[in-house]
Amino acid sequence: MSSAAAAVRKFQIQNNHITLSEEEIAKSNFKDFIPSWEQNKTYPPLEFFQHHDRGTFADPELPNLLPKDGDYTKKSITPKLGTEIDGVQLSQLTDEGKDELALLVAQRGLLVFRNQDFTDHGPKFAVEFGKYYGPLHIHPVSGAPIGYPELHIAYRNKDYANQGNYFKNKTNSIAWHTDVSYELQPPGITFFSVLEGPESGGDTAFADTIEAYERLSPEFKGILDGLYVEHSSVEQASFVENSGPIKSRRDPVKNIHPLIRVHPVTGKKILYVNPQFSRRIIGFKEEESKALLAFLYDHIANSHDLQARAHYEANTVVIWDNRRVVHTAVNDWDDTDATRIAVRITPQAERPIADLKDLNKEDKNRLADA
């Protein structure tokens, strides 16, 4: 049986949606977040819009998020990347607190909030919460709860998403990326909550690409500044459509972004490349582009001293700045019987820029040919 035919047997069609089998749904304690794919549903290309990061409106003292007399704990995951917080309930934040959350994630790159009731409020609440930070990205190929296409549901176990066979043809599962960097305006602040997962393992690893840039020599930074990179979703769409019944809901795209982008809140420079979606450096010959990108990928992946891991416990919400960090799932639970189901909320942010003076300016000269 072909891999595509085998994949079809894992799904069923109900009310014009492809979804999981009845047996699989029955096992889940989170039926409101079961992934589905509406048949024959397509979305138009994403269009340019002006984005104003909520972190720019925040009180730098964070009095509404982390009041000085508050009953919470806070500790750094590493000195430069990541903070873990317990005792602050995200679902209860005021708008001022939400602004301060955006500022803190820009400053720390990664936040891990424990003991949250966030997903207890259901998918509608999750969508409305995310919209505060910008238009929500609808992923072209991922599953979503029926009626809430803005939620990206990651679902894996031995029988789904090839989890049990992952290492048949691979020696590791590491795939560093920043989410949907191929879009015209990729996400900024990103929310990720694991509803169910293995007893241990299944972490997400993060690498700080601000620190990665700052580690480079001034001479090498001078080479990188001013370069642009093509990012593409063509390969992702092709892989999904060749693997089973799922079809892309939006035509594949290619977009050109600065290799060194600047953060709109902190003003810091970011090394903005990733091996999943970055394809080539504009103006370089093929061998030149591959050599330089390979160095940058190795620099990020092998520099463990600019990385952090987020460990998921029950009722944990992990938030990261999708501009500042790359991340990868850690598939170290492939031989267990566990199911891992997670929900991601990804508000779109500004178009990547190399200079703050260009923030919210539409530059049609940077469009790539799809």
Side-chain angles (χ1 to χ4, degrees), residues 18-45:
I18 299 171
T19 188
L20 306 184
S21 68
E22 289 287 359
E23 179 184 7
E24 193 69 20
I25 293 174
K27 293 190 301 184
S28 176
N29 295 317
F30 300 94
K31 293 179 175 57
D32 288 344
F33 291 96
I34 292 294
S36 68
W37 295 260
E38 188 171 359
Q39 288 189 295
N40 305 316
K41 178 65 175 181
T42 59
Y43 291 93

Side-chain angles (χ1 to χ4, degrees), residues 333-355:
W333 55 282
D334 57 295
D335 58 353
T336 74
D337 291 325
T339 292
R340 186 177 187 270
I341 178 171
V343 55
R344 189 183 82 198
I345 311 168
T346 43
Q348 291 177 251
E350 76 285 349
R351 188 171 192 187
I353 52 170
D355 193 306

Side-chain angles (χ1 to χ4, degrees), residues 285-340:
K285 292 185 176 181
E286 181 178 350
E287 295 86 353
E288 296 167 342
S289 177
K290 286 183 177 180
L292 182 50
L293 289 176
F295 168 79
L296 296 175
Y297 298 155
D298 287 346
H299 170 49
I300 293 168
N302 295 331
S303 298
H304 292 234
D305 42 13
L306 54 77
Q307 297 175 11
R309 280 173 71 143
H311 172 66
Y312 297 95
E313 300 171 359
N315 304 311
T316 293
V317 176
V318 173
I319 306 172
W320 65 84
D321 190 316
N322 196 57
R323 296 164 289 212
R324 171 176 174 171
V325 297
V326 293
H327 63 278
T328 178
V330 179
N331 187 1
D332 51 3
W333 55 282
D334 57 295
D335 58 353
T336 74
D337 291 325
T339 292
R340 186 177 187 270

